[in-house]
């Protein structure tokens, strides 16, 4: 009687094990096994982190094993189980791997295909075609689109984290990490004390230093010493937490009537302001998106204010970016003067503080929330709805979507909701942050998510002109390494452009992002199809880069780029591509570390060893 050896790995996360009954059925080209209970006498099966093996005996050889069906049935009370993978050793000694990486909840069954990726046009038998379609039908019922706010990118149809599908919720360990990290942040930053401090007038600029009492490292101490200085103010436009707004000024806007006489004392090359502009030495940061945004008025005892400043920046002879003029509103006039470095010390300092305040709101609401968190969620929902687990693009993207929908749901539940943390702590709370996203979506195009295009569109792509723009330099390296990795994987499965065009699932994925995720807005300019391998490579690179490197540059993370602990791919060529990718990332990390040696302000935000795989925090 033929016998198959089945090995099952249970997850390592908290509460991954189960005491419920687990059944298996092997489906082959020549027949199916009996539904078999996996249970060893006097043994605690399926404990957390366990790898258990069982014999499945059959009356006759099943042929090629096509599917494995796993069922969980209640023993005493429902006990969720996380299955990592299943391997099957055939009577002839061959090994087959069946990745699972999902939770079985209630009396659930999961049907798995082996770990080799397949395009839909390569599936020929009705059995695998039906399995593929059934998986997508179920996913589309589970992962539904919903508009959280008018004018926002679409999000998951769930009000609370606990309403999400179990597979995309934080696992218990991650949930505890979230609570501990939040508590630690509260402790370190004395948030409650800050809230009180911010809701009353500061008596002295030394109050600012209290922020750094519990944050002790070389960089923070250097910043504390130099935060008032112009060079530090300018440096943050290049390598701070919002390095995406500065652009080359080719012509002064009429709304910002700076004259040569105003700034002549700040210019160092014996050129007029107009000549400095023509020479490419003048840059600008415009916070027009904040103009007219309603300030937070949720607490009638606390007046809050917003500015929509314009800041003119000058690259001096030492290649440092220096502020030379600031206007705090968009309409010039007597009540909206232009502030200059030659003004009184505190007038100029307060003008810079207003710019930095506006930069904070732009960073948190647009650069961070909209352009990384919400956009990655759009890609993630479309992925679950349109790409089955066997699709190579699903296997490629799933590590970069990990926990994104969960953290965004938590944010809508606790952070950006009515009476959430934004309402309590931000001047854009009470609805201003919603208005900002609605405005910013109108300029969010697909090309603006392509890192090289975004850099070039702002006129800051020249290393010779801006030699200390490390966000750009490191971003280029990571973008190109990511694109080469994606290219290696894509070319394994798509041997021609016609293969891309014939893949109905990848086309449905791209269309779902545009037509539903971005609501087919005329101005978003997202593609509705991809026709070539190069277009597909760029599209997938945008998703991975947005979820990993771009998010890291404006935030921080945990599971780093190039790390794929869940082996969704089993083919050797893909594993080789991953190894090559990790090697390239290690070389980039080494070069960044070498460049940063001896710098008082080292830049590590785009170092691959600091880049999380996904938007998970």
């Amino acid at each position: 009687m033929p016998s198959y050896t089945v090995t099952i790995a249970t997850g390592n996360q908290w509460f991954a094990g189960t005491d419920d009954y687990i059944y298996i059925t092997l489906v082959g080209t020549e027949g199916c096994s009996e539904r078999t209970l996996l249970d060893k006498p006097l043994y605690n099966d399926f404990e957390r982190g366990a790898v258990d093996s069982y014999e499945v005996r059959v009356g006759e050889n099943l042929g090629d094993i096509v599917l494995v069906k796993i069922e969980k049935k209640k023993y005493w009370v429902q006990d969720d189980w996380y299955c990592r993978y299943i391997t099957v050793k055939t009577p002839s000694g061959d090994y087959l791997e069946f990745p699972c990486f999902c939770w079985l909840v209630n009396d659930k069954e999961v049907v798995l295909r082996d770990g080799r990726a397949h395009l839909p046009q390569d599936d020929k038998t009705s059995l695998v075609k039906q399995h593929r379609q059934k998986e997508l039908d179920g996913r589309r019922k589970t992962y539904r689109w919903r508009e959280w706010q008018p004018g926002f990118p679409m999000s998951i149809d769930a009000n609370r984290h606990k309403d999400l599908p179990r597979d995309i919720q934080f696992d218990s360990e991650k949930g505890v990490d979230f609570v501990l990290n939040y508590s630690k942040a509260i402790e370190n930053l004395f948030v409650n004390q800050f809230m009180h401090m911010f809701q009353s007038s500061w008596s002295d600029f030394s109050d600012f230093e209290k922020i750094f009492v519990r944050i002790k490292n070389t960089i923070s101490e250097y910043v504390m010493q130099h935060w008032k200085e112009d060079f530090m103010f300018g440096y943050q436009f290049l390598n701070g937490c919002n390095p995406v707004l500065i652009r080359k000024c080719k012509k002064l806007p009429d709304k910002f009537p700076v004259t040569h006489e105003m700034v002549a004392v700040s210019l160092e090359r014996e050129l007029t302001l107009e000549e400095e502009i023509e020479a490419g030495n003048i840059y600008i940061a415009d916070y027009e998106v904040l103009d007219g945004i309603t300030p937070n008025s949720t607490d009638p005892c606390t007046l809050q204010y917003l500015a929509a400043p314009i800041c003119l920046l000058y690259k001096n002879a030492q290649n440092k970016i220096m502020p030379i003029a600031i206007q705090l509103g968009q309409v010039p006039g007597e009540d909206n003067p232009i502030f200059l470095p030659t003004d009184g010390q505190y007038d100029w300092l307060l003008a810079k503080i207003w710019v930095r305040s506006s930069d904070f709101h732009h960073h948190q609401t647009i650069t961070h929330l909209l352009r990384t968190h919400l956009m990655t969620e759009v890609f993630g929902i479309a992925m679950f709805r349109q790409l089955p687990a066997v699709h190579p693009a699903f296997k490629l993207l799933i590590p970069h979507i990990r926990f994104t929908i969960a953290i965004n749901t938590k944010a809508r539940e606790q952070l950006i909701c009515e009476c959430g943390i934004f309402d309590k702590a931000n001047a854009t709370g009470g609805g201003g942050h919603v208005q900002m996203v609605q405005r910013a979506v109108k300029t969010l195009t697909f090309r603006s998510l392509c890192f090289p295009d975004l850099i070039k569109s702002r006129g800051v792509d020249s290393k010779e002109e801006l030699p200390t723009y490390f966000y750009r330099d490191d971003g280029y390296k990571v973008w190109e390494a990511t694109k080469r990795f994606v290219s290696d994987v894509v070319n394994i499965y798509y041997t021609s452009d016609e293969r891309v065009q014939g893949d109905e699932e990848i086309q449905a994925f791209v269309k779902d992002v545009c037509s539903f995720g971005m609501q087919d807005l005329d101005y978003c300019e997202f593609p509705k199809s991809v026709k070539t391998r190069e277009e597909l490579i760029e599209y997938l690179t945008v998703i991975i880069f947005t979820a990993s490197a771009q998010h890291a540059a404006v935030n921080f993370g945990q599971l780093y780029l190039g790390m794929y602990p869940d082996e969704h791919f089993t083919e050797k060529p893909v594993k080789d591509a991953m190894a090559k990718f990790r090697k390239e990332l290690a070389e980039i990390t080494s070069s960044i570390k070498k460049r940063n040696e001896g710098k008082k302000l080292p830049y590590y935000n785009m170092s691959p060893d600091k880049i999380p795989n996904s938007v998970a925090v």
Side-chain angles (χ1 to χ4, degrees), residues 122-139:
D122 295 334
D123 283 344
K124 304 302 182 184
T125 68
S126 60
L127 182 65
V128 293
K129 287 181 178 180
Q130 290 170 10
H131 170 263
R132 196 170 192 129
Q133 189 59 49
K134 185 178 179 181
E135 180 184 3
L136 289 178
D137 289 344
R139 293 249 208 91

Side-chain angles (χ1 to χ4, degrees), residues 263-382:
V263 299
V265 68
S266 299
L267 307 181
E268 299 180 355
R269 295 182 178 86
E270 297 184 359
L271 299 174
T272 66
L273 176 59
E274 185 61 36
E275 289 169 339
E276 292 280 17
I277 291 173
E278 291 177 4
N281 296 322
I282 302 296
Y283 296 84
I284 194 168
D286 189 348
Y287 296 87
E288 184 178 16
V289 70
L290 278 156
D291 188 34
I293 296 295
T294 307
N296 192 340
S297 60
T298 56
D299 181 358
C301 298
T302 304
L303 295 178
Q304 299 192 51
Y305 304 92
L306 293 169
I310 310 171
C311 181
L312 203 64
L313 301 153
Y314 174 60
K315 185 185 71 170
N316 69 13
Q318 291 76 44
N319 287 320
K320 291 182 178 179
I321 296 296
M322 307 290 281
I324 59 173
I326 293 172
Q327 182 177 286
L328 295 181
Q330 293 289 308
V331 181
E334 290 185 8
D335 60 344
N336 185 25
I338 294 174
F339 293 91
L340 305 168
T342 52
D343 290 339
Q345 175 187 355
Y346 292 114
D347 289 344
W348 180 237
L349 181 57
L350 283 170
K352 290 189 294 180
I353 288 174
W354 273 110
V355 172
R356 194 53 57 208
S357 172
S358 299
D359 195 69
F360 164 80
H361 296 302
H362 185 282
H363 162 254
Q364 282 294 334
T365 306
I366 298 173
T367 308
H368 186 200
L369 173 62
L370 171 61
R371 295 182 66 87
T372 63
H373 278 259
L374 299 185
M375 284 313 306
T376 302
E377 181 175 6
V378 167
F379 292 126
I381 296 170

Side-chain angles (χ1 to χ4, degrees), residues 67-70 109-113 131 134-135:
L67 302 173
V68 169
K69 181 165 74 172
I70 291 286
E109 71 174 40
V110 173
V111 182
L112 307 172
R113 288 183 64 173
H131 170 263
K134 185 178 179 181
E135 180 184 3

